[in-house]
Amino acid sequence: MSKIFKFKNDVDTDQIIASQYLLLPNIDEMKGHAFESLDESFAGAVRPGDIIVAGENFGCGSSREQAPSVLKALGVKAIIAGSFARIFYRNSINIGLPVLVCKELAENVTAGDEAELDLGEGTVTVNGKTYTCTKLPPYMQTILNAGGLIAFLNKDE
């Protein structure tokens, strides 16, 4: 089971990782500052396999790849939101972080709820109710399974 961390609508990339931390030398040093302006305890509380649930337009703002990268480095299993900013969505798939759209999930769960995610089926079960998310196309699932786009492209070398 995965613990849910819940965020609102319009979470932008600067809220995921503030621009002043982009000066740090690597993702491992940046990840401790994830969501610092929204939830100071997030980076210390999130555990590998946990899930982020959010409202509409998650990842809006800049195109910084560090935003999904710090979440993946913290062990976030997936992000499920009502909708995503297009560049955040692509960056997430490119680095191997699953992102799913589920319009009704955010309004029906609370932070701390336990969830069971089935990426293959595109479903998430919370509080005894199963929600259907957008199922990723097979080619995108293949990229995620490989660990991201670069790993996928280098797979046959």
Side-chain angles (χ1 to χ4, degrees), residues 133-154:
C133 306
T134 54
K135 190 173 175 181
L136 296 173
Y139 73 93
M140 290 177 91
Q141 190 63 53
T142 302
I143 292 170
L144 286 172
N145 292 342
L149 184 59
I150 300 300
F152 171 76
L153 293 173
N154 289 330

Side-chain angles (χ1 to χ4, degrees), residues 98-119:
V99 282
L100 296 109
V101 174
C102 185
K103 296 284 185 189
E104 60 183 331
L105 187 63
E107 61 194 40
N108 291 299
V109 299
T110 332
D113 283 349
E114 298 278 318
E116 188 171 337
L117 177 63
D118 185 334
L119 282 173

Side-chain angles (χ1 to χ4, degrees), residues 8 10 14 17 28 39 57 70 90 115 117-118 123 130 148 151:
K8 58 185 174 62
D10 302 312
D14 202 47
I17 185 69
D28 276 338
D39 179 357
N57 201 26
V70 296
R90 283 305 309 167
L117 177 63
D118 185 334
T123 61
T130 300

Side-chain angles (χ1 to χ4, degrees), residues 27-121:
I27 293 297
D28 276 338
E29 291 190 38
M30 288 179 211
K31 70 183 182 184
H33 301 284
F35 288 115
E36 199 169 74
S37 67
L38 296 178
D39 179 357
E40 289 181 4
S41 67
F42 176 82
V46 69
R47 298 287 172 255
D50 288 342
I51 295 172
I52 292 173
V53 174
E56 301 291 328
N57 201 26
F58 189 88
C60 58
S62 76
S63 61
R64 67 180 68 148
E65 191 173 292
Q66 294 91 337
S69 295
V70 296
L71 300 177
K72 183 178 180 187
L74 285 166
V76 170
K77 181 177 186 173
I79 303 169
I80 305 171
S83 66
F84 290 91
R86 185 175 44 190
I87 191 71
F88 182 90
Y89 187 89
R90 283 305 309 167
N91 282 340
S92 296
I93 297 297
N94 286 347
I95 65 158
L97 177 63
V99 282
L100 296 109
V101 174
C102 185
K103 296 284 185 189
E104 60 183 331
L105 187 63
E107 61 194 40
N108 291 299
V109 299
T110 332
D113 283 349
E114 298 278 318
E116 188 171 337
L117 177 63
D118 185 334
L119 282 173
E121 291 299 316

